């Protein structure tokens, strides 16, 4: 076997896991990690159920066939979990011991900022770690896109198209609440691409009465219905719908899209992004680096120190937000 030693580190065996909320494209990332590692003479183990499975020793060898027929599937074949025990020093020590017992030199963690924080702490126990951003929220500032965001955006757009039919037939206001925890990207992108009258995000202060005014002005201009995109981080779609109906006199309905946004076959964009990032993650481990994260900047796949990446404050694209305002009126 041609184990590779670049920068003095020999990567003989790596492991891969998915953690936190699942995202479409995670499977494509697992596939890329497994196949590119095998191609480079490195053994790969799959960890079931994220950090919980790692602590419990749920590891099994993977080969090229383990990742056949998954590039187009949503979810994650490795399963995912949230693991409070991993937040403790003792839990992480158990995980590091498991990796040592299995002879694993490096770990690829596919997940969001919580999972990355876990990977960062694990690297301090001597495990080489690299993170691949997999979350529909697009809430990691160091990277332009996270795996799953594009697919989720398209799922939201599909739902909006359907809601438009019923909302225009009834001449109603439709308030659509989308995921994103504390991040308004999904609402903003879907608002622009879906032709929304207004977008409400946690990053920008919002005035309920201004919203009602926008809706009434739209009606005066001849709009037969209004579509409002509301980010989960602001929340309260049903309450807001009630308020809008009372203040405008226009029938208003709230739709909370929920976990539908996390499922489905990944878009071409997410499959390519995941494939490139998976390959890069293996390269980074082979270079002897640890505590790194993979991202995309100006269209180029890059890696960055995990501490630096996690310390970048949340960026919100205010220019894009302004575009949403201009195009809505
Ligand atoms: P995401 O990775 O999508 O942000 P979570 O925030 O739920 O999802 O984190 C996933 C898992 O990562 C947690 O269940 C926990 O095991 C681990 N994790 C999260 N935050 C920390 C932390 N501060 N320290 C150690 N591990 C963490
Ligand atoms: O992290 C992705 C995300 O979809 C968030 O937008 C949402 O708040 C959260 O996961 C919900 O996850 P769950 O219901 O699995 O706890």
């Amino acid at each position: 076997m041609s184990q590779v030693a670049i920068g003095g580190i020999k990567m003989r065996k790596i492991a891969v896991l998915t953690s936190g909320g699942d995202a479409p494209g995670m499977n494509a990332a697992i596939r890329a990690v497994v196949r590119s590692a095998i191609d480079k003479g490195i053994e790969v183990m799959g960890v079931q159920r994220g950090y919980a499975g790692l602590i419990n020793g749920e590891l099994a060898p993977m080969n090229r066939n383990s990742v056949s027929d998954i590039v187009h599937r949503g979810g994650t074949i490795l399963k995912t979990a949230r693991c409070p025990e991993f937040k403790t020093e003792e839990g992480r020590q158990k995980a590091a011991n498991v990796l040592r017992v299995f002879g694993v030199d490096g770990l690829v963690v596919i997940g969001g900022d919580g999972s990355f924080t876990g990977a960062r702490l694990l690297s301090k126990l001597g495990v080489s770690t690299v993170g691949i951003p997999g979350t529909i929220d697009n809430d990691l500032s160091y990277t332009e896109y996270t795996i799953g965001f594009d697919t989720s955006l398209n799922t939201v757009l599909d739902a909006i198209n359907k809601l438009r039919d019923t909302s225009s037939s009834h001449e109603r206001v439709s308030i659509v609440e989308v995921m994103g925890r504390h991040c308004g990207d999904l609402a903003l992108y879907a608002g622009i691409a879906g032709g929304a009258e207004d977008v409400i995000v946690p990053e920008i202060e919002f005035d309920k009465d201004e919203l009602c005014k926008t809706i009434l002005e739209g009606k005066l201009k001849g709009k037969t219905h209004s579509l409002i995109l509301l980010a989960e981080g602001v929340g309260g779609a049903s309450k807001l719908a009630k308020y809008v109906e009372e203040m405008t006199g226009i029938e208003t309905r709230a739709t909370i899209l929920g976990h539908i946004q996390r499922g489905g076959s990944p878009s071409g964009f997410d499959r390519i992004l995941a494939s490139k990032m998976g390959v890069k993650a293996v390269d980074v481990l082979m270079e002897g680096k640890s505590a790194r994260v993979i991202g995309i900047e100006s269209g180029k796949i890059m890696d960055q120190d995990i501490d630096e990446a996690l310390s970048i404050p949340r960026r919100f694209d205010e220019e894009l937000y302004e575009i949403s305002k201009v195009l809505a009126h």
Side-chain angles (χ1 to χ4, degrees):
M1 194 187 299
S2 63
Q3 300 114 8
V4 189
I6 303 175
I9 297 279
K10 250 194 191 130
M11 275 291 143
R12 292 183 195 85
K13 197 189 277 186
I14 64 169
V16 56
L17 62 79
T18 47
S19 168
D22 65 337
M26 278 184 163
N27 280 329
I30 297 168
R31 173 178 179 266
V33 168
V34 171
R35 292 209 168 153
S36 74
I38 290 171
D39 189 58
K40 285 156 186 150
I42 300 170
E43 286 178 58
V44 191
M45 302 206 81
V47 183
Q48 295 280 315
R49 298 175 189 82
Y51 292 127
L54 185 56
I55 288 173
N56 295 331
E58 294 178 58
L59 282 79
M62 295 184 88
N63 57 38
R64 295 187 68 84
N65 292 342
S66 320
V67 290
S68 295
D69 203 26
I70 65 165
V71 73
H72 61 298
R73 291 188 202 280
T76 157
I77 58 160
L78 291 176
K79 311 281 184 233
T80 185
R82 294 205 163 87
C83 174
E85 193 183 352
F86 197 74
K87 291 189 178 176
T88 67
E89 180 74 33
E90 205 192 359
R92 290 191 296 275
Q93 195 59 62
K94 274 194 209 165
N97 292 345
V98 166
L99 289 170
R100 222 159 280 134
V101 166
F102 278 92
V104 172
D105 308 303
L107 177 69
V108 179
V109 172
I110 308 169
D113 60 343
S115 304
F116 284 3
T117 304
R120 183 178 73 82
L121 294 169
L122 190 62
S123 70
K124 298 199 188 304
L125 301 178
V127 180
S128 295
T129 59
V130 57
I132 295 179
T135 164
I136 65 159
D137 292 354
N138 210 39
D139 59 349
L140 291 161
S141 296
Y142 78 92
T143 182
E144 282 158 8
Y145 292 106
T146 59
I147 297 165
F149 175 69
D150 182 67
T151 306
S152 187
L153 170 61
N154 285 296
T155 302
V156 173
L157 290 176
D158 186 46
I160 287 175
N161 292 343
K162 290 174 174 139
L163 284 167
R164 272 182 174 285
D165 291 344
T166 170
S167 141
S168 66
S169 302
H170 284 267
E171 299 175 88
R172 283 173 174 160
V173 174
S174 181
I175 299 181
V176 184
E177 184 177 314
V178 299
M179 276 189 169
R181 223 179 316 196
H182 309 297
C183 176
D185 280 17
L186 202 46
L188 176 60
Y189 280 64
I192 292 178
E197 270 60 45
D198 211 347
V199 172
I200 305 164
V201 292
E203 293 90 345
I204 307 276
E205 214 178 312
F206 137 77
D207 180 339
K208 284 192 290 189
D209 296 318
E210 271 300 314
L211 171 66
C212 294
K213 195 168 151 235
T214 304
I215 291 167
L216 286 172
E217 280 171 357
K219 195 176 178 186
L220 283 174
K221 281 184 213 156
K223 291 193 181 191
T224 56
H225 64 114
S226 292
L227 172 71
I228 313 299
L229 259 290
L230 172 71
E232 175 190 17
V234 179
S238 303
K239 223 170 134 191
L240 182 62
K242 233 174 158 189
Y243 185 81
V244 168
E245 187 164 299
E246 266 169 33
M247 298 306 283
T248 62
I250 305 171
E251 266 196 317
T252 304
R253 295 287 187 268
T255 305
I256 300 170
L257 291 181
H259 289 83
I260 279 178
Q261 296 161 90
R262 287 233 297 252
S265 178
S267 65
F269 179 87
D270 276 331
R271 294 184 204 188
I272 300 285
L273 184 67
S275 300
K276 285 182 176 177
M277 286 184 166
V279 170
K280 179 75 174 177
V282 173
D283 288 346
V284 163
L285 285 175
M286 280 173 52
E287 285 164 25
K289 294 181 185 170
S290 178
R292 308 291 293 180
V293 283
I294 309 301
I296 181 163
E297 200 177 279
S298 306
K300 260 191 87 66
I301 302 296
M302 51 81 170
D303 65 293
Q304 192 173 0
D305 176 76
I306 200 163
D307 278 311
E308 265 174 36
L310 290 176
S311 66
I312 299 173
R314 266 274 322 136
R315 279 185 294 220
F316 182 70
D317 194 339
E318 300 208 359
E319 227 173 277
L320 202 56
Y321 181 76
E322 281 314 312
I323 289 176
S324 83
K325 289 275 172 211
V326 170
L327 299 185
H329 303 301

